[in-house]
Amino acid sequence: MGNDKSTNMGLSIILLLTGFLGTAAALILDFTGSKLTFRGPLLVIGIILFFIGLYLVPTKKYHRDIINIIFLFPLLFCFAVTVIIPFGLGLFYSTTDWNGIKMTGFVGFKNYSDMFSEAGFLWSLIITVLFVIVNMVLVNVIGLALAVLCTSKIRAVGFFRAAYFIPNLIGGIVLGYIWQFIFNNVVLKWTFEMFGYNSSMLSKYNTGFIAIIMVYIWQYAGYIMMIYITGLTTVPSDVIEAAAIDGATAVQTFFRIKLPMIASTITVCTFLTLQSAFKQFDVNMALTNGTGSVNFMGQYLSNGTQMLALNIYNTAITKNNYAMGQAKAVLFFVILSIVSIIQVRISNKREVEL
């Protein structure tokens, strides 16, 4: 028994060292720009040998922790490669004059100070916040109303559920161009015949902004409806029956029983709507591409319907100012994180009160 344990310990140490050295050598070769093509396989083999050695460590006390680390590693590795490292690089490039290809020096916080003196960016920030508030309310109210309708005893309820959900399956770019055709042809013809108004909704910033809200609600309300349906179906039927026996009306049952019992669902839906509305990009680009003239801070802006995500995209891609785009993206991340944390805390507190 003692010899087996010593043998496993020896094998484990050899594999751990071999794996660690192989991984380190592969990373050093990559960072130094080596042209050796085997550094990729060496990295993979090194990681595998390291974890085999870790698994063979003869311990009972820490065996569960080792197994947890081994199974969590692929997820943590992917998260680090796709989120943590790009975010760190974004922070770094936001303090430089990087143009997407090369950088010539550091500029400190100049990109951050410059973006707050840019009227177009501030306007995008304002209409994005307004867009989020309006949509967070309307999408949830309409989604909940549709969910109540689709959980009632009406005929063809399956058809209505599918019909309301289908817009969410269409990509935002396709959806934007479809509605662009509708607003520029069908709606324009109707407004001209009814009011003599011969101008598209998308040509002005205020009506264009309303058009984006309408399309977003049409796309997202069905998705939120499905989540509310799941929440409403979890309300125990015996509680509903008891309320009916006590003489509660349908409205009283909804507001005093169903709504408090789906408080956690409301939290999830509000969070999803907030996140999605803040990141609105594809419909904005396809429907108006940010156009619409407006006077703001004494300046004439031609991007009256350009929201924050599209503003960041145009700064980096169209204006070829990647460093400024990174700075705006970092601010976008900070705002989104703070608002999300506050919203979840308020919703959780509200759940307890209900």
Side-chain angles (χ1 to χ4, degrees):
M1 188 69 180
N3 290 334
D4 291 343
K5 190 173 182 179
S6 299
T7 304
N8 286 339
M9 178 59 83
L11 181 61
S12 172
I13 292 173
I14 292 172
L15 290 173
L16 283 171
L17 285 174
T18 307
F20 176 77
L21 292 174
T23 304
L27 292 175
I28 291 170
L29 288 173
D30 189 66
F31 288 139
T32 55
S34 173
K35 295 182 179 179
L36 296 175
T37 57
F38 65 88
R39 61 183 188 277
L42 181 62
L43 177 69
V44 175
I45 293 171
I47 293 173
I48 292 173
L49 289 177
F50 181 83
F51 280 108
I52 292 175
L54 195 63
Y55 179 76
L56 293 177
V57 172
T59 174
K60 290 184 179 179
K61 185 178 180 181
Y62 300 107
H63 187 69
R64 182 180 291 275
D65 295 334
I66 291 173
I67 295 297
N68 290 339
I69 291 171
I70 291 173
F71 275 93
L72 279 175
F73 176 76
L75 179 64
L76 295 176
F77 179 77
C78 292
F79 183 74
V81 170
T82 58
V83 178
I84 302 298
I85 294 175
F87 180 71
L89 289 173
L91 278 175
F92 170 75
Y93 284 124
S94 69
T95 60
T96 68
D97 59 353
W98 185 49
N99 63 3
I101 298 175
K102 65 177 182 179
M103 55 168 279
T104 57
F106 289 96
V107 297
F109 292 100
K110 183 176 183 300
N111 290 323
Y112 291 93
S113 60
D114 286 350
M115 70 182 175
F116 283 110
S117 60
E118 186 183 312
F121 172 72
L122 295 177
W123 175 257
S124 298
L125 189 60
I126 290 170
I127 64 169
T128 301
V129 172
L130 184 62
F131 179 82
V132 170
I133 295 171
V134 172
N135 278 288
M136 201 166 63
V137 175
L138 292 181
V139 169
N140 280 281
V141 170
I142 295 173
L144 182 58
L146 293 176
V148 173
L149 177 69
C150 290
T151 51
S152 60
K153 296 177 181 177
I154 61 171
R155 300 180 65 181
V157 68
F159 168 78
F160 286 114
R161 287 185 185 184
Y164 295 139
F165 184 71
I166 282 176
N168 188 254
L169 301 178
I170 305 173
I173 296 291
V174 177
L175 205 63
Y177 285 122
I178 291 173
W179 277 93
Q180 187 187 67
F181 175 83
I182 294 172
F183 283 123
N184 287 338
N185 294 274
V186 181
V187 177
L188 177 60
K189 184 180 178 183
W190 179 75
T191 53
F192 180 70
E193 291 176 352
M194 294 289 292
F195 309 107
Y197 187 71
N198 191 20
S199 181
S200 170
M201 279 184 70
L202 306 180
S203 62
K204 294 186 176 180
Y205 81 93
N206 48 3
T207 51
F209 184 69
I210 294 172
I212 297 171
I213 291 175
M214 290 169 62
V215 176
Y216 180 80
I217 292 172
W218 190 73
Q219 180 190 25
Y220 212 65
Y223 174 66
I224 294 300
M225 174 200 72
M226 297 301 286
I227 301 175
Y228 277 124
I229 287 175
T230 306
L232 288 171
T233 52
T234 59
V235 178
S237 58
D238 53 345
V239 177
I240 306 297
E241 291 171 2
I245 293 171
D246 290 341
T249 63
V251 175
Q252 289 174 327
T253 304
F254 176 74
F255 282 103
R256 297 187 180 182
I257 296 177
K258 290 183 178 178
L259 211 54
M261 295 189 76
I262 63 167
S264 58
T265 307
I266 295 173
T267 302
V268 172
C269 289
T270 308
F271 179 76
L272 289 174
T273 313
L274 186 146
Q275 290 269 340
S276 173
F278 248 118
K279 295 186 291 186
Q280 177 53 246
F281 172 78
D282 44 8
V283 172
N284 187 197
M285 187 174 73
L287 194 62
T288 65
N289 199 22
T291 56
S293 57
V294 61
N295 287 312
F296 180 67
M297 292 175 64
Q299 295 185 31
Y300 174 80
L301 304 176
S302 59
N303 54 352
T305 60
Q306 180 178 263
M307 282 186 278
L308 194 53
L310 185 59
N311 180 276
I312 294 171
Y313 171 83
N314 285 331
T315 301
I317 305 299
T318 307
K319 298 179 181 176
N320 201 32
N321 192 345
Y322 281 78
M324 176 68 84
Q326 285 291 345
K328 291 179 178 179
V330 169
L331 178 70
F332 186 30
F333 169 79
V334 172
I335 293 173
L336 192 58
S337 301
I338 293 173
V339 172
S340 299
I341 291 170
I342 293 173
Q343 184 266 324
V344 170
R345 284 186 176 275
I346 293 174
S347 299
N348 288 337
K349 185 179 179 183
R350 183 66 178 161
E351 282 180 36
V352 174
E353 292 175 355
L354 290 173

